[in-house]
Amino acid sequence: MMMKAIVYTEYGPPEVLKLKEVAKPVPRDNEALIRIHAAAVNYGDLLARNFKEITPRKFNMPFVFWFFAKLLFGVRKPKKTILGSEFAGVIESTGKDVRSFKPGDPVFGYRGQSMGAYAQYLCMPEDGVLATKPANMTFEEAAAVPYGAIMALGLLRKAHVQAGQKVLIHGASGGIGSAAVQLARHFGAEVTGVCGAPGLAYVKSLGADKVIDYGREDFSKNGATYDLIFDVLGKSSFSRCKNSLSKNGRYLRASFKTRELWQMLWTSMSGGKRVICALAPGSREDLLAVKELIEAGKIRTVMDKRFPLAQAADAHRYVEQGHKKGGVVISASNSGVANANQY
Ligand SMILES: NC(=O)c1ccc[n+]([C@@H]2O[C@H](COP(=O)([O-])OP(=O)(O)OC[C@H]3O[C@@H](n4cnc5c(N)ncnc54)[C@H](OP(=O)(O)O)[C@@H]3O)[C@@H](O)[C@H]2O)c1
């Protein structure tokens, strides 16, 4: 049996993404076969598509992470030829050992670096990062949730955000930042979101108490202080942000280099203001926690645009322009491009 998928066999610009017929996967005993309704386009997809161009300097992590990513993705050409790490769909069939899911169940999930969601079908192990789709979301909305929300949840947990604290999210309009804004608000913090001018209304709509356009104002020079500064993309520095941190404030980095790791070690020994560099691999438990928060109305997805599977390259082009405001999804069950901005 065959299925349609977006395949890339060389690194490069969006044009390397081609619609092809490939073998439909067959679930193992512990796996579910999922018919995909929608897969989101995120930072990791763009990075993996163009990984040949990503030098250690351009990579937002230490050299050793870049080295292992290079081995994982493929040195000269991609090893995993179908992109897409987050998705929503319906279980079509299950292996004989699967107990938690049955055919017909709506699900959403995260594949991490295994990718493979730009296709009509994929297989997921029952104990993978997979959960029943939130009842109050469409497939397209749910597809755009897992990566950003489970990364933001995992990273914010490391900073122990408390009610009443002041939190600044740098990169608030992106996949991780937009979830971090909503989660920090849920934890009871007063949230300031920093992003470019086009994303300000979007970040405000997610519940940020204040927004700052990084093109017009340097948040580290306006005299305000925060209990937590969470820099998603690593565009600031601890030395620059120090005066904007409260007495025992924390400077959390989702993207970091060796310098920040040394700063983390040093500040953990010296006390006072601290640097935290953290990884959030994402787990099934985190996805289940996110599903509960969605159903409780604490996290929502704003849809930006959706593209049919055949136009995956256009979806990448759109996201690559850098101004997506909310979910951009590739819909395996949709035939037209649609704007869906709802904020
Ligand atoms: N630690 C972990 O476990 C982990 C896991 C996954 C990813 N990451 C890291 O997270 C980062 C990707 O995050 P993401 O998926 O949220 O990215 P994204 O969706 O591409 O969002 C990027 C955000 O950064 C903002 N931004 C862009 N240029 C900026 C600048 N010059 N100054 C300030 N802000 C700027 C963007 O705002 P505008 O669009 O308004 O410019 C946007 O809000 C990567 O560096 C990746 O390595 C870390």
Side-chain angles (χ1 to χ4, degrees), residues 42-44 60-61 110 147 151 155 170-177 194-199 214 232-235 253-256 278-281 322-324:
N42 61 34
Y43 177 89
N60 287 346
M61 291 287 188
Y110 181 61
Y147 157 75
M151 294 301 141
L155 292 163
H170 194 26
S173 60
I176 298 177
V194 181
C195 62
Y214 62 70
V232 178
L233 219 54
K235 293 287 181 186
R253 290 277 296 246
S255 313
F256 48 86
L279 292 176
H323 295 305
K324 93 175 161 82

Side-chain angles (χ1 to χ4, degrees), residues 1 38 52 60 68 74 84 90 92 131 142 150 182 197 203 214 221 272 304 317 319-320:
M1 291 278 279
K52 204 169 173 187
N60 287 346
F68 283 112
V90 173
E92 176 144 307
I150 60 181
Q182 300 182 73
V203 173
Y214 62 70
K221 293 200 175 122
D304 184 334
R317 245 173 246 119
V319 175
E320 210 153 60

Side-chain angles (χ1 to χ4, degrees), residues 257-306:
K257 294 284 197 178
T258 313
R259 182 180 63 166
E260 283 76 32
L261 290 173
W262 281 113
Q263 288 171 336
M264 177 163 80
L265 184 67
W266 171 247
T267 56
S268 71
M269 293 189 297
S270 57
K273 300 175 185 186
R274 280 182 58 193
V275 176
I276 303 173
C277 303
L279 292 176
S283 67
R284 183 160 188 228
E285 289 66 35
D286 287 345
L287 189 65
L288 288 167
V290 164
K291 171 184 145 64
E292 278 184 24
L293 288 169
I294 293 169
E295 289 181 340
K298 306 293 182 189
I299 300 180
R300 68 190 183 99
T301 306
V302 173
M303 288 304 300
D304 184 334
K305 251 184 190 338
R306 62 173 181 270

Side-chain angles (χ1 to χ4, degrees), residues 122-336:
L122 61 72
C123 288
M124 281 287 283
E126 177 180 26
D127 59 358
V129 186
L130 183 68
T132 309
K133 180 179 77 65
N136 54 345
M137 275 193 172
T138 64
F139 286 101
E140 290 171 349
E141 288 168 338
V145 167
Y147 157 75
I150 60 181
M151 294 301 141
L153 185 62
L155 292 163
L156 283 178
R157 272 200 196 120
K158 314 259 179 189
H160 306 290
V161 179
Q162 313 273 323
Q165 289 189 328
K166 288 187 174 179
V167 171
L168 179 135
I169 316 278
H170 194 26
S173 60
I176 298 177
S178 59
V181 167
Q182 300 182 73
L183 287 165
R185 286 282 292 136
H186 165 62
F187 295 142
E190 182 189 311
V191 178
T192 300
V194 181
C195 62
L200 295 175
Y202 167 54
V203 173
K204 193 92 184 138
S205 79
L206 296 174
D209 299 282
K210 291 180 196 156
V211 285
I212 294 176
D213 169 5
Y214 62 70
R216 292 178 67 107
E217 184 180 337
D218 182 343
F219 73 85
S220 66
K221 293 200 175 122
N222 67 8
T225 55
Y226 304 93
D227 301 296
L228 172 67
I229 295 176
F230 177 16
D231 185 343
V232 178
L233 219 54
K235 293 287 181 186
S236 64
S237 68
F238 180 51
S239 55
R240 231 182 79 201
C241 292
K242 232 173 175 174
N243 290 337
S244 308
L245 286 172
S246 60
K247 190 162 162 262
N248 290 313
R250 283 137 300 148
Y251 176 67
L252 174 66
R253 290 277 296 246
S255 313
F256 48 86
K257 294 284 197 178
T258 313
R259 182 180 63 166
E260 283 76 32
L261 290 173
W262 281 113
Q263 288 171 336
M264 177 163 80
L265 184 67
W266 171 247
T267 56
S268 71
M269 293 189 297
S270 57
K273 300 175 185 186
R274 280 182 58 193
V275 176
I276 303 173
C277 303
L279 292 176
S283 67
R284 183 160 188 228
E285 289 66 35
D286 287 345
L287 189 65
L288 288 167
V290 164
K291 171 184 145 64
E292 278 184 24
L293 288 169
I294 293 169
E295 289 181 340
K298 306 293 182 189
I299 300 180
R300 68 190 183 99
T301 306
V302 173
M303 288 304 300
D304 184 334
K305 251 184 190 338
R306 62 173 181 270
F307 294 81
L309 187 63
Q311 290 175 24
D314 291 333
H316 269 232
R317 245 173 246 119
Y318 178 73
V319 175
E320 210 153 60
Q321 286 165 4
H323 295 305
K324 93 175 161 82
K325 294 173 277 300
V328 173
V329 297
I330 293 170
S331 175
S333 56
N334 179 278
S335 55

